Structure formats: C-alpha cells, structure tokens
Amino acid sequence: MKLIKLQDLYFKPFISEKEIKATVKYLAATVKADLPKDEIPIFVGILNGCFLFAADFIREFKGNCEVSFVKLASYQGTSSTEKVKQLVGINEDLTNRTVIILEDIIDTGATLQEIYDIFRDKNVKQLKVATLFFKPDVFRKELPIDYIGKSIADKFIVGYGLDYNGLGRNYPSIYQLSTTPKMKNIVLFGPPGAGKGTQAEFLKNMYNLVHISTGDVFRFNIKNATELGILAKKYMDEGDLVPDEVTIKMLKAEVEKNKDANGFIFDGFPRTESQAKALDTFLAEKGEQINGMIALEVPEDALVTRLLERGKTSGRTDDTDEAKIRNRFNEYNTKTAILKDYFDAQDKYYGINGVGSIEEITQRIANVFDTL
Ligand code: AMP
C-alpha cells in the first residue's frame, strides 16, 4: 500500500483489504444469526458510499434475502432555511418486512436520523442498522445502531466506496487523511559497479539527505561479527541476495535511526519486488513516499572490468572473482531489474546514462532530482 493523492490531499494506509473482508464477513454472519430461521430480510443500502460494502456483505450473507438501494436526496423546502430530505429509490412495499439498513459509515448520525424518520411510517416489522464503520467520538444521537463492523477514531477516510470530492471510491482498502510529505526520498538504482555509492556521496551532501546502503550496513555488521553479519556473510560471499525478511527489517531500523531526515537515498535497496512493496508501505505509514528511482544505466562488460579493478583495493571478497561478479549480475537481471517496471508503473523511473566522468553523471542525476 502506498501513499495516495486525491486532488490536493494525501492519504495514508489505514485499514487493509484483508481486515475489511474479515469485518464484512463477521457482520454478515452476526446479522444472519440474529434473524428468525425463515425470515427473508430486505437489505437497503444507502448510496453512494455503501455500494462496495453492500456488494460484499450480501455475498457473505448465507441465506435468502432481497436487496435494494436508496439515495438520500436533499432539496430546499418552501422556506429557504428549511432542508427537506427524501429517500429516493424505495419502490418495494415494506409493510411487515424486516428491513436492514446497510451504511458504509456513521459519524454524527445526521443521515441515520433522516433514515429513521423516513422509515417511521413505512409499517415495517423491524428496522435494523448495520454499519461497516462507526465514529463513536462524533456520534451525537440517541439512535440504536444494531451492528457495527469497526469503530474508528474521527479521521477523514477514503476508499472502499468512501470518497473525497468524488474520488477514491475505487481503492480496495481504506486510507486516512495524512499531512503533505516532508521528505524527498530516492532509490538509487543500477547494476553492481554502476557507481551508486560514489554518486550517493555527492547527492547526500548536495541535498542534505541520509544515505542508506544496505550493502554497507551488511559489511559493517560482518566486520563487527554481529549476529546479522554472520547470517548475511554466507549469502554475500556468493553474490546471492540476503533473504528479504532480514534485509527489510534491517532497512527499517536504519530509517528509524534518522527520524528527522530531509529524506533518504536508498542505495542497494529495494532489490526485489517484495522489498519495494515493503518500503512503499513502510514510508506510506509515515505519510512519506518514494519520489523517484534514479537508475544508472551502464553496459555489463564495462562493469565487470570496473569491479575487478575495484576488488584489487576495496577488500570486498565479492569483487575479486569474475564468477561471483557474474552471479551478482545474474541476481540483478533476474530479481532486481523487474523493479524498473515496478517504479515505471508509478511513473517514477528515471534512467540516467551512467557512462562518463563522475561529475558529468552527478550533474545528470541532479537535473532529474531537481524535478522530483
Ligand atoms: P552492494 O554493496 O549493494 O553491491 O551489496 C552487496 C551484497 O549485499 C549483495 O550482493 C547482497 O548479498 C547483499 N545485499 C545488499 N543489499 C541487499 C538487498 N536489498 N537485498 C538482499 N541482499 C542485499
């Protein structure tokens, strides 16, 4: 899940698709359990917000039922201050029926009040209300709400049918209003030896960012023989990727160490799609996001030569053996290169020609960075 932007506002992940599904299922089962055995209820969804909830709810409802939708339309009454509301769309005869209102969210209860008022003279057998979300802190009425999926704090939410200015209804999960992102975060990307570390040093100083190189963090841990280092070493020595779980946990810890950063340069991370998704979710929960992936593009043969050259002085065991280097390229091409598509799909991929002098390449990166 990522941070989303709807018109001028940002929203961050709040309730997952999985949790919504479980909540809807629970509501449907609870409603069913309360009904007399052969009772056929009529569910009445209050449009527009409830359309996804109603669709999922009735699929989870195990038993016969009828479904209808209504809309509360307001129009000006005879005096200019008088607001009259009317339910539009109820054509069924509800006499002696069990009516169960389906609401996506109840906050102040104003709409609920209208519904109770309107149904009062329909001669129904019973009227019940099931709402997916409820905001106890702002609810102002004395009306019964029979079924509540989840009580939430008074935050503005969108997704799963709920909107902000008409937008956001189509997201399968729920997001809450967030502040405008403060950080500028980039992923510096490219095959081994493309010059990511060198460029990161320049960018870090130019833009006052925190540089996190997962490779460096692993090497630091190996040098200090930490538990993490011992674990990572056997993968790194072969040029294999360290397992995602280990790497993601470590990355998060590095970010947490720098709470006040202006932003981060992620170097060597993410390397797999699951790392990319984890990073998106992690940043989104903080109201932040990746602004772009800046990728250094350099032909592979030039890189092997560069790496063997580096291995003579860097002390990196994975730089001294051509087979291991080729394996790192193989990892890059099979597992990592797909990240180009991942960021491309979000319009966040920026390819940079990585052949040239260090200064030239820094300038090319800076030109892109300034537009992010
Ligand atoms: P690097 O310094 O970025 O070339 O990384 C050196 C080695 O560290 C890689 O070959 C991997 O074994 C390990 N490594 C660094 N970053 C990651 C990552 N994001 N995921 C998995 N392994 C990593």
Side-chain angles (χ1 to χ4, degrees), residues 214-215 218-219 236 240-242 247 268-269 271 275 316 318:
T214 42
F218 281 132
R219 281 184 288 275
M236 287 178 71
D240 292 333
L241 293 185
V242 177
T247 311
F269 188 97
R271 260 180 161 93
Q275 290 180 9
R316 282 184 56 165
D318 56 351

Side-chain angles (χ1 to χ4, degrees), residues 309-370:
E309 210 40 53
R310 179 169 86 183
K312 288 180 189 159
T313 54
S314 71
R316 282 184 56 165
T317 46
D318 56 351
D319 279 348
T320 47
D321 174 338
E322 184 160 346
K324 286 178 185 169
I325 291 174
R326 293 279 175 199
N327 186 37
R328 278 156 68 205
F329 282 113
N330 187 39
E331 289 278 61
Y332 179 79
N333 291 325
T334 55
K335 295 188 183 153
T336 306
I338 50 161
L339 290 178
K340 176 180 177 183
D341 300 335
Y342 182 88
F343 285 97
D344 219 7
Q346 301 178 31
D347 277 333
K348 287 183 179 171
Y349 180 86
Y350 301 89
I352 302 265
N353 176 3
V355 182
S357 73
I358 291 176
E359 298 76 29
E360 275 166 358
I361 298 166
T362 308
Q363 192 51 51
R364 286 176 205 151
I365 297 177
N367 291 345
V368 170
F369 192 91
D370 290 337

Side-chain angles (χ1 to χ4, degrees), residues 188 193-204 211 267 296 306 310 358-359 362 365:
L188 198 54
K196 298 187 292 284
T198 309
Q199 294 300 335
E201 276 307 303
F202 287 108
L203 294 172
K204 163 181 140 176
H211 173 209
D267 162 11
L296 296 173
R306 264 197 216 177
R310 179 169 86 183
I358 291 176
E359 298 76 29
T362 308
I365 297 177

Side-chain angles (χ1 to χ4, degrees), residues 208-368:
N208 192 18
L209 303 172
V210 174
H211 173 209
I212 299 180
S213 155
T214 42
D216 285 350
V217 180
F218 281 132
R219 281 184 288 275
F220 177 83
N221 278 278
I222 291 173
K223 210 171 110 201
N224 292 290
T226 66
E227 205 178 316
L228 176 66
I230 291 161
L231 177 71
K233 190 173 186 329
K234 58 177 189 284
Y235 298 98
M236 287 178 71
D237 280 350
E238 293 308 312
D240 292 333
L241 293 185
V242 177
D244 279 345
E245 208 190 283
V246 177
T247 311
I248 291 167
K249 192 169 154 217
M250 179 185 87
L251 189 278
K252 287 183 178 175
E254 290 297 313
V255 170
E256 296 297 357
K257 281 183 199 163
N258 297 281
K259 286 203 191 316
D260 300 323
N262 279 331
F264 293 91
I265 302 171
F266 295 103
D267 162 11
F269 188 97
R271 260 180 161 93
T272 63
E273 194 169 340
S274 97
Q275 290 180 9
K277 286 184 176 160
L279 181 61
D280 272 339
T281 306
F282 177 62
L283 290 175
E285 281 163 357
K286 300 178 177 303
E288 300 294 343
Q289 62 183 343
I290 292 294
N291 296 77
M293 165 182 262
I294 295 182
L296 296 173
E297 294 168 345
V298 187
E300 189 165 315
D301 282 333
L303 292 172
V304 176
T305 320
R306 264 197 216 177
L307 287 172
L308 286 169
E309 210 40 53
R310 179 169 86 183
K312 288 180 189 159
T313 54
S314 71
R316 282 184 56 165
T317 46
D318 56 351
D319 279 348
T320 47
D321 174 338
E322 184 160 346
K324 286 178 185 169
I325 291 174
R326 293 279 175 199
N327 186 37
R328 278 156 68 205
F329 282 113
N330 187 39
E331 289 278 61
Y332 179 79
N333 291 325
T334 55
K335 295 188 183 153
T336 306
I338 50 161
L339 290 178
K340 176 180 177 183
D341 300 335
Y342 182 88
F343 285 97
D344 219 7
Q346 301 178 31
D347 277 333
K348 287 183 179 171
Y349 180 86
Y350 301 89
I352 302 265
N353 176 3
V355 182
S357 73
I358 291 176
E359 298 76 29
E360 275 166 358
I361 298 166
T362 308
Q363 192 51 51
R364 286 176 205 151
I365 297 177
N367 291 345
V368 170

